[in-house]
Amino acid sequence: MSKVMTVAWREFKATALTKAFIIGAVLAPAVGIGLAVAMPVLLTRKPPPLAGTVAMVDPGGAIAAATAVEIDPETVRARIEEALDEALEKLDSSRMPSSFSGDQAIGATRDLARVEIDVELERHDDPGALDELKRRLREGDLVAIITVEGGEEGVPAATGPPSEVTLYVAQTTNQKHTSLLEATLGRAMNRVRIEAAGLDVDQVRRLARKRSPKTVQVGAEGKEHREDIAAKVVKRLIPMAFMMLLWMGAFVGANYLLTTTIEEKSNKVMEVLLSAVSPMQLMAGKIIGQALVGLVMISMYGGVGFVALGTFAFANLITWTQIVLLGLYYVMAYFMVASIMAAIGSAVNELREAQSLMTPAMMLLMIPLLLWLPISDSPNGWLATVTSFIPPLIPFVMVIRIAGTEPVAVWQILLSLGVGYAAMLVMVWAAAKIFRVGVLMYGKPPSPLELIRWLRYS
Amino acid sequence: MTEACISIQGVTKTFGETRAVDALDLVVPRGSLCGFLGPNGAGKTTTIRMVMSIIYPDAGSVSVLGGSALASKDRIGYLPEERGVYRKMRVAEFLEYIARLKGCPRRGLRESIARWLKRVDLPEVGRQRCQELSKGMQQKVQFVAACIHEPDLLILDEPFSGLDPVNANLVNTLIRELRDAGTTIIFSTHVLHQAEQICDRFFLIDHGRKLLDATLDEIHERFDPRTILVEPLEGADLAAIEGIRETRPIEGERAVEVEVDDGRDPQEVMRAILAAGPCRRLELRRVSLDDAFVRLVRENAGEQQALRAREELRA
């Protein structure tokens, strides 16, 4: 056993204590944690006030008048409150788990809400004044210029084409200020049209607001709870995050296992090792060492995710049971993938030769990625249930299910663990057989069929 | 010398269609320095791997240090023919790793590694990465890796290949020192005269079969000398002399080696050479292992195979 641990420790040291790994697996998530913590701080940063003169060239005068109303700081604030409500409702009714539009909408309106406005409108009737105004804009004398051409805005029951409104801003204008001016102008044009139709602006806007129903989940024990709007989106993402973590952890470790095995073969250190340990001990040590590497990876990235959830106060969405199960399924997934990689690594002389053997293995292991969407949409559907008991898919499918919103039957979890671990042992046994033959085999790399034939060698 | 360090009985190992080792019997006495000889592909490495219990025989039994080969793993040192180090590992780390795998306690290991590196004239390399060393240096590091756990049995597969004369000499001295300290050593090589210089016992194998198992004295006794060294004063026509199988020029010398036909008396041939013209040198050579090997192959497998064997030995 101590030999196995000696091998495992070297394997871990040689992989995890390298610059590349530390940068990729430790530093990157650490920066991620930093960002996750810093994000709320960054979001609350106040944009500079929008202050100065906006020139408006509107011969008709209707849009200019409406703009004067819309740009009033009180109106802007009320409007933003309203937009925020609307965005939240949109988020609530959003069906697509990957939709970030809601988040973005909230973020954008929040930003706008904080802009202090102190703008003076300077009205011009002569379109010929534009050149002079542009010069003033360039010199910083003006914040923006708005021109209105043609159209019949303001004329009751107008049927002609709408007027063309252009907003000129300096290249250096703050993006948030530009958005604010755009939004204001849009509202002003809208206001003119409503008024021209003889309707009450506030009433029309109230009526035009999009409304969405609230969703209440009725639990098995009779508990009902209204889903937290943002939590709902996050919850949709958690199963994918869990599966990606598992996938990454299993693959990073197993991939290193493949490369170190090939390295030991190609630099001929294998025979020295085998003079001290049996092939079984060597393989066991290598697998354990790389399992730790994968675990470091998972903890780092998982940690970032957890901190990120914590920052936005969603940490309670993950339970300890889920984390424990994730651990159990990680071990299963890793050992399955690792036994495949160990077998392949032992059989070839160079990384290049591994590619042809990797293709069928990779195809098998891509399946969970394709299954993610259908399974997370229907975590207790037939597809999810069936794939929960097909060995190489078990851990990946099950983490999607246990991280999902619908509870999974306990017997299914227990059975999948049983079937999965049994299958895992068979795979490790087969890999050990191939490993024993492969490590001393030099020359032409074997085909997948030959690999299977090696199972029968004593 | 009486106790057996390795005892191989009736061992056979086949790889697919090839019979690498064929009903081999071998006894290596404890404390001896044995040459394990034969051309490339004779089955040496396969036999050694079975002694190391890296692979297992299809038939027969292998006993090492009085027990199963597997149980004695930690008491055997092995320098494989295929040399390899972890390129990125530091030299001292690599040696520590191998020593730990061989069951060395951690205590005192660093000192022991430093002592050994000094012994192979590499006192400063411990902190360097293996890939920074020259090939010869790497080889010495591997030699240390084979000896670091002070094994009772040391197996060296082609230990001199790739070493310059100075380092070869150093390794040669170390091998003798280890032998004097009581380590049983197996020295496997296809360069027979290297073994001839240091070994006290020889096993010759070819095509997985044992051809010879004897001490140097026994070999000299068994094989009468049939090679004559001739350096004619002027160009004498040796080809005309009867009883000469083959004439080989010696590189860098004016002398030639003359191989006497079987069944001919070498003394008679020498007289004939003298009669053909004056010689600066004329001597009957002691039988070399190369000669003995070629002759054994000839006896067992005929002239064709003997020629092949000589070619292989020269390669």
Side-chain angles (χ1 to χ4, degrees):
Chain A
M1 200 57 204
S2 82
K3 285 190 182 185
V4 172
M5 290 328 285
T6 309
V7 174
W9 178 235
R10 192 214 84 87
E11 195 75 14
F12 180 78
K13 258 200 332 198
T15 310
L17 303 184
T18 57
K19 273 190 214 106
F21 184 85
I22 290 172
I23 290 171
V26 182
L27 228 53
V31 169
I33 291 181
L35 279 181
V37 173
M39 196 63 89
V41 182
L42 290 176
L43 280 179
T44 51
R45 267 197 53 184
K46 216 173 165 161
L50 171 61
T53 312
V54 173
M56 187 130 199
V57 185
D58 180 12
I63 289 181
T67 306
V69 178
E70 293 291 347
I71 207 158
D72 178 72
E74 275 313 308
T75 322
V76 171
R77 194 147 300 131
R79 188 182 93 214
I80 285 168
E81 289 302 324
E82 205 176 300
L84 205 63
D85 284 352
E86 204 168 313
L88 286 174
E89 279 198 24
K90 188 178 167 203
L91 191 64
D92 191 22
S93 59
S94 155
R95 301 304 305 170
M96 280 297 291
S98 57
S99 159
F100 285 104
S101 57
D103 288 4
Q104 282 166 348
I106 296 175
T109 31
R110 265 194 194 141
D111 285 352
L112 287 179
R114 296 201 181 82
V115 181
E116 275 175 30
I117 303 165
D118 182 13
V119 176
E120 202 179 310
L121 271 187
E122 182 187 301
R123 308 248 324 242
H124 295 264
D125 294 332
D126 176 21
L130 187 58
D131 285 341
E132 166 65 9
L133 292 174
K134 277 185 185 168
R135 186 189 59 78
R136 283 172 60 198
L137 179 69
R138 275 197 299 275
E139 285 170 2
D141 189 24
L142 291 176
V143 179
I145 311 165
I146 299 162
T147 61
V148 181
E149 285 169 78
E152 297 173 336
E153 254 81 2
V155 180
T159 49
S163 42
E164 202 161 289
V165 180
T166 314
L167 173 70
Y168 296 89
V169 291
Q171 218 161 32
T172 49
T173 302
N174 186 308
Q175 187 57 45
K176 281 172 184 160
H177 292 172
T178 309
S179 325
L180 185 95
L181 287 169
E182 279 168 356
T184 306
L185 211 46
R187 300 271 294 190
M189 288 151 74
N190 179 255
R191 172 178 285 272
V192 171
R193 272 192 274 162
I194 297 171
E195 281 174 349
L199 301 169
D200 178 55
V201 176
D202 288 339
Q203 194 185 8
V204 169
R205 284 185 177 162
R206 255 198 318 276
L207 293 173
R209 247 187 82 179
K210 190 175 164 250
R211 302 304 304 262
S212 307
K214 290 175 174 154
T215 312
V216 175
Q217 279 196 329
V218 181
E221 297 91 23
K223 264 193 285 181
E224 290 184 13
H225 59 279
R226 162 130 166 70
E227 291 261 285
D228 184 327
I229 296 156
K232 202 170 152 185
V233 170
V234 175
K235 261 186 128 161
R236 287 293 213 136
L237 292 175
I238 287 174
M240 181 182 76
F242 262 49
M243 195 201 66
M244 288 313 290
L245 266 187
L246 189 79
W247 215 78
M248 189 178 67
F251 271 83
V252 167
N255 225 348
Y256 278 122
L257 183 70
L258 177 79
T259 46
T260 59
T261 310
I262 295 176
E263 189 199 347
E264 277 158 5
K265 256 192 99 173
S266 69
N267 69 16
K268 318 279 189 203
V269 84
M270 192 61 96
E271 203 160 352
V272 178
L273 297 179
L274 291 181
S275 75
V277 295
S278 70
M280 271 306 287
Q281 286 174 316
L282 182 64
M283 193 180 105
K286 291 175 75 67
I287 287 185
I288 292 171
Q290 297 296 358
L292 291 180
V293 173
L295 216 54
V296 168
M297 216 51 191
I298 286 205
S299 325
M300 289 309 295
Y301 280 94
V304 174
F306 204 73
V307 170
L309 284 180
T311 329
F312 294 107
F314 294 138
N316 59 339
L317 291 181
I318 296 178
T319 64
W320 281 108
T321 323
Q322 284 173 321
I323 292 177
V324 169
L325 283 174
L326 177 68
L328 285 175
Y329 285 113
Y330 163 70
V331 171
M332 187 193 295
Y334 168 75
F335 274 82
M336 284 175 169
V337 182
S339 56
I340 294 176
M341 295 297 193
I344 293 177
S346 71
V348 300
N349 312 304
E350 287 175 59
L351 203 52
R352 211 155 27 86
E353 295 170 355
Q355 297 308 326
S356 62
L357 289 170
M358 291 278 285
T359 313
M362 286 307 286
M363 264 155 51
L364 183 71
L365 295 161
M366 292 306 282
I367 298 176
L369 297 184
L370 304 176
L371 285 177
W372 163 60
L373 211 58
I375 286 179
S376 65
D377 260 355
S378 158
N380 283 318
W382 67 269
L383 181 68
T385 312
V386 169
T387 48
S388 291
F389 304 108
I390 299 177
L393 304 179
I394 291 175
F396 303 102
V397 172
M398 283 309 283
V399 289
I400 299 177
R401 296 184 63 194
I402 58 162
T405 42
E406 294 176 30
V408 181
V410 176
W411 71 265
Q412 290 198 7
I413 293 179
L414 293 179
L415 185 63
S416 78
L417 281 173
V419 173
Y421 272 90
M424 179 195 93
L425 290 178
V426 171
M427 287 175 80
V428 170
W429 169 84
K433 281 264 190 182
I434 293 175
F435 193 85
R436 251 177 53 181
V437 178
V439 281
L440 286 172
M441 201 71 94
Y442 288 95
K444 196 174 91 59
S447 69
L449 249 154
E450 276 172 281
L451 274 192
I452 291 165
R453 210 169 303 143
W454 285 2
L455 288 181
R456 291 207 299 269
Y457 284 23
S458 56
Chain B
M1 288 286 283
T2 47
E3 208 182 336
C5 176
I6 300 175
S7 160
I8 294 176
Q9 276 164 350
V11 161
T12 298
K13 180 76 189 173
T14 355
F15 295 108
E17 300 293 300
T18 338
R19 181 158 284 203
V21 174
D22 191 2
L24 190 70
D25 294 311
L26 211 61
V27 175
V28 176
R30 210 167 270 223
S32 61
L33 204 174
C34 282
F36 192 51
L37 315 169
N40 292 321
K44 301 188 299 285
T45 302
T46 306
T47 309
I48 288 173
R49 283 180 177 174
M50 286 191 283
V51 169
M52 291 303 310
S53 69
I54 291 173
I55 53 178
Y56 298 92
D58 299 334
S61 71
V62 179
S63 145
V64 182
L65 294 164
S68 86
L70 202 57
S72 345
K73 240 175 181 174
D74 287 355
R75 291 163 64 200
I76 311 175
Y78 179 35
L79 175 68
E81 184 185 4
E82 299 275 14
R83 304 291 146 69
V85 288
Y86 285 105
R87 293 165 46 75
K88 301 257 184 233
M89 245 176 150
R90 296 186 196 283
V91 172
E93 264 179 88
F94 171 71
L95 290 173
E96 192 177 331
Y97 177 54
I98 299 294
R100 294 284 298 146
L101 285 185
K102 281 289 189 183
C104 281
R106 204 183 294 273
R107 181 192 289 256
L109 194 52
R110 296 248 157 102
E111 294 73 24
S112 157
I113 287 169
R115 210 164 44 239
W116 265 102
L117 284 177
K118 224 168 167 175
R119 243 175 124 177
V120 294
D121 209 16
L122 295 172
E124 305 292 336
V125 304
R127 296 278 307 148
Q128 286 184 39
R129 291 184 196 281
C130 291
Q131 62 186 4
E132 293 163 17
L133 303 186
S134 74
K135 229 174 157 199
M137 287 158 104
Q138 283 187 14
Q139 183 146 342
K140 289 199 284 181
V141 167
Q142 285 174 290
F143 184 83
V144 173
C147 305
I148 189 77
H149 60 297
E150 291 168 16
D152 297 328
L153 169 63
L154 182 61
I155 300 175
L156 305 169
D157 202 347
E158 304 283 2
F160 296 119
S161 74
L163 285 181
D164 61 44
V166 177
N167 283 316
N169 216 12
L170 177 71
V171 170
N172 201 328
T173 313
L174 285 172
I175 293 174
R176 285 170 204 268
E177 281 174 16
L178 287 166
R179 193 257 326 264
D180 294 343
T183 312
T184 310
I185 298 169
I186 290 183
F187 174 22
S188 168
T189 182
H190 72 287
V191 189
L192 304 194
H193 64 83
Q194 276 179 0
E196 211 169 338
Q197 287 165 11
I198 55 172
C199 297
D200 47 37
R201 197 173 183 87
F202 304 90
F203 301 107
L204 270 175
I205 66 167
D206 191 27
H207 288 106
R209 286 169 173 279
K210 186 167 75 176
L211 292 182
L212 178 74
D213 175 358
T215 64
L216 199 56
D217 287 344
E218 284 166 357
I219 291 170
H220 287 155
E221 218 167 278
R222 182 167 155 197
F223 298 92
D224 53 335
R226 306 203 70 83
T227 307
I228 300 166
L229 184 79
V230 188
E231 192 180 334
L233 211 51
E234 52 219 38
D237 187 13
L238 295 174
I241 298 164
E242 253 181 69
I244 292 180
R245 178 203 298 281
E246 193 190 353
T247 306
R248 295 188 295 268
I250 298 175
E251 217 172 294
E253 279 188 57
R254 297 208 343 244
V256 291
E257 269 184 345
V258 171
E259 179 98 21
V260 179
D261 260 338
D262 292 340
R264 282 276 183 169
D265 181 1
Q267 303 294 339
E268 204 178 286
V269 177
M270 281 170 94
R271 271 195 292 278
I273 291 172
L274 265 180
C279 293
R280 183 171 286 132
R281 267 163 88 192
L282 180 66
E283 69 179 68
L284 190 55
R285 282 217 151 163
R286 292 187 83 175
V287 72
S288 70
L289 274 178
D290 283 35
D291 297 331
F293 177 69
V294 172
R295 258 193 258 171
L296 282 168
V297 173
R298 183 177 297 130
E299 280 166 26
N300 282 308
E303 184 64 36
Q304 210 60 36
Q305 289 297 314
L307 286 175
R308 172 199 61 87
R310 187 174 291 287
E311 279 312 304
E312 276 170 6
L313 287 178
R314 280 191 195 142

